[in-house]
Amino acid sequence: MNAAVESAAFEPLLQFEMEMEAFLSNWHHCDQLSSFVARMISHNRADPVRHSNFLSSALNELLEMSFRSGIPDGQLGCTVYRHGPTERVKLTLPCPSAQSQFYREAVSRTRNGSGYARYLDSILTDLAPSREVILLDLAINFDAEIRLEEQASSITLVVDLPLEGIVN
C-alpha cells in the first residue's frame, strides 16, 4: 500500500503542541499528557479502560523519550489518528542533525531480528530505559510499527499501535 493512501485511511482524533521549554520544565508532563490523551480517545473502544491503559503507557514512553532528548528549543507536537483497530501516534520533536543518525538506527533496529536480544540485554542491565530501548519496547510489547520522518531541525516518529488486536 502506498504511504499517501495508507495515511489517508487514518482519521485524526486529537492534536496538541507544546513549547519544549515548558514541556521540559516538569517530568510529570509526560504522565499528565499521556493519561489525558488516552482517556479522550479511548471512550468508544470495545474495552475503554484497557485501551486507555495501553495507549497511556505507550504515549508515556514516547513522551519520556522526548523528555530525555533534553532539547529546549522548538515545539513538541503530537497527533493521534485511528484506522480500524490501530492508533497512529505522530510525535514531532526538535532534533539537531547530530542526533538524527541515532534515531535512524534506533528505528531500524525495531525492524530487524537483533532487536529482541538487544531489548532483553538492555532491560537486564540498564537502570533506566534508553531512548532506543523505549522504541524496542513499543515494537516488541505493543507490536508497534515505527518509522521516522525527518525535517530540517526536527524528527517525527510515526508509531502504529494495534491496541484493539487483530480483526478476523
Side-chain angles (χ1 to χ4, degrees):
M1 182 182 295
N2 90 30
V5 172
E6 180 185 323
S7 291
F10 280 84
E11 296 181 31
L13 299 174
L14 189 139
Q15 178 178 355
F16 72 84
E17 290 182 352
M18 186 174 191
E19 291 294 326
M20 280 300 289
E21 187 174 15
F23 177 66
L24 294 174
S25 71
N26 190 332
W27 175 259
H28 294 291
H29 288 149
C30 300
D31 180 55
Q32 293 165 342
L33 286 168
S34 62
S35 295
F36 174 77
V37 169
R39 282 194 312 265
M40 289 297 293
I41 65 172
S42 296
H43 65 49
N44 62 349
R45 288 305 205 175
D47 186 343
V49 173
R50 177 183 173 274
H51 187 272
S52 180
N53 285 338
F54 282 137
L55 182 57
S56 178
S57 293
L59 280 171
N60 190 57
E61 292 296 318
L62 288 168
L63 291 170
E64 286 183 6
M65 186 182 64
S66 303
F67 192 94
R68 285 190 181 101
S69 76
I71 309 296
D73 300 321
Q75 287 194 331
L76 175 72
C78 182
T79 306
V80 181
Y81 302 84
R82 178 176 292 160
H83 178 66
T86 303
E87 310 298 347
R88 172 174 286 171
V89 177
K90 285 184 138 185
L91 186 71
T92 302
L93 61 143
C95 181
S97 58
Q99 286 188 18
S100 294
Q101 182 64 28
F102 163 80
Y103 284 103
R104 278 193 294 276
E105 291 173 4
V107 168
S108 174
R109 287 185 190 109
T110 67
R111 291 186 228 121
N112 69 31
S114 68
Y116 187 73
R118 192 173 180 89
Y119 173 73
L120 289 177
D121 182 53
S122 179
I123 62 173
L124 293 173
T125 58
D126 288 344
L127 295 176
S130 70
R131 292 175 293 165
E132 177 189 10
V133 171
I134 289 170
L135 293 175
L136 289 170
D137 176 53
L138 292 172
I140 292 166
N141 294 315
F142 289 86
D143 201 23
E145 290 184 27
I146 304 168
R147 68 179 195 282
L148 182 67
E149 297 173 354
E150 295 182 59
Q151 297 83 35
S153 60
S154 65
I155 59 163
T156 300
L157 290 162
V158 181
V159 182
D160 289 346
L161 298 158
L163 299 177
E164 284 287 291
I166 298 171
V167 176
N168 292 325

